[in-house]
């Protein structure tokens, strides 16, 4: 089985030991990038999107989160490695692209 994150993290830079990142939904991460005019980039090695921005106090942040591309990359690993299944970690925030990609790649069946 593979756990797939359904959230992102917003770190204040420079990171210092003991400083925790703020957790945010994928939709909130995208809205934050729009709010600050940040360009969303994609790290091919990590297979995850990220962006940097400066907040209203002039502090730099980096945000890593999931999008349709990163969900697809993780689901391709599930298929290629023939894993038994997946679980989205944190289903409390709905992210439609995750389920659209999942539905396009697999025949989902409910088993009791």
């Amino acid at each position: 089985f593979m756990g797939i994150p359904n959230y992102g993290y917003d770190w204040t830079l420079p990171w210092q030991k003991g400083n925790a990142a703020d957790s945010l939904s994928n939709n909130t991460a995208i809205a934050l990038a729009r709010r600050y005019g940040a360009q969303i980039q994609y790290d091919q090695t990590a297979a995850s999107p990220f962006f940097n921005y400066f907040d209203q106090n002039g502090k730099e942040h980096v945000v890593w989160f999931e999008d349709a591309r990163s969900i697809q990359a993780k689901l391709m690993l599930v298929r290629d490695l023939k894993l038994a299944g997946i679980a989205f970690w944190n289903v409390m925030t709905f992210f439609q692209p995750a389920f659209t990609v999942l539905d396009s790649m697999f025949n989902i069946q409910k088993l009791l």
Side-chain angles (χ1 to χ4, degrees), residues 46-66:
S48 289
F50 70 97
F51 62 91
N52 292 72
Y53 72 97
F54 288 88
D55 67 21
Q56 63 275 10
N57 298 318
K59 293 187 177 186
E60 186 177 9
H61 292 248
V62 62
V63 176
W64 288 83
F65 64 104
E66 301 297 329

Side-chain angles (χ1 to χ4, degrees), residues 21-94:
D22 292 327
S23 177
L24 66 168
S25 73
N26 298 316
N27 291 322
T28 300
I30 294 166
L32 191 63
R34 284 190 185 128
R35 176 179 171 194
Y36 286 100
Q39 180 181 356
I40 296 174
Q41 301 174 62
Y42 191 79
D43 184 299
Q44 294 292 338
T45 303
S48 289
F50 70 97
F51 62 91
N52 292 72
Y53 72 97
F54 288 88
D55 67 21
Q56 63 275 10
N57 298 318
K59 293 187 177 186
E60 186 177 9
H61 292 248
V62 62
V63 176
W64 288 83
F65 64 104
E66 301 297 329
D67 68 3
R69 296 169 294 178
S70 63
I71 297 292
Q72 182 180 34
K74 290 164 180 64
L75 292 174
M76 287 173 66
L77 279 175
V78 171
R79 183 189 61 206
D80 295 347
L81 298 174
K82 297 182 172 114
L83 300 180
I86 63 129
F88 283 106
W89 181 248
N90 195 338
V91 294
M92 298 306 291
T93 58
F94 183 71

Side-chain angles (χ1 to χ4, degrees), residues 82-111:
K82 297 182 172 114
L83 300 180
I86 63 129
F88 283 106
W89 181 248
N90 195 338
V91 294
M92 298 306 291
T93 58
F94 183 71
F95 186 58
Q96 181 61 52
F99 297 100
T100 300
V101 172
L102 179 67
D103 188 51
S104 74
M105 293 180 66
F106 295 95
N107 180 21
I108 301 167
Q109 297 177 2
K110 181 178 180 177
L111 301 174

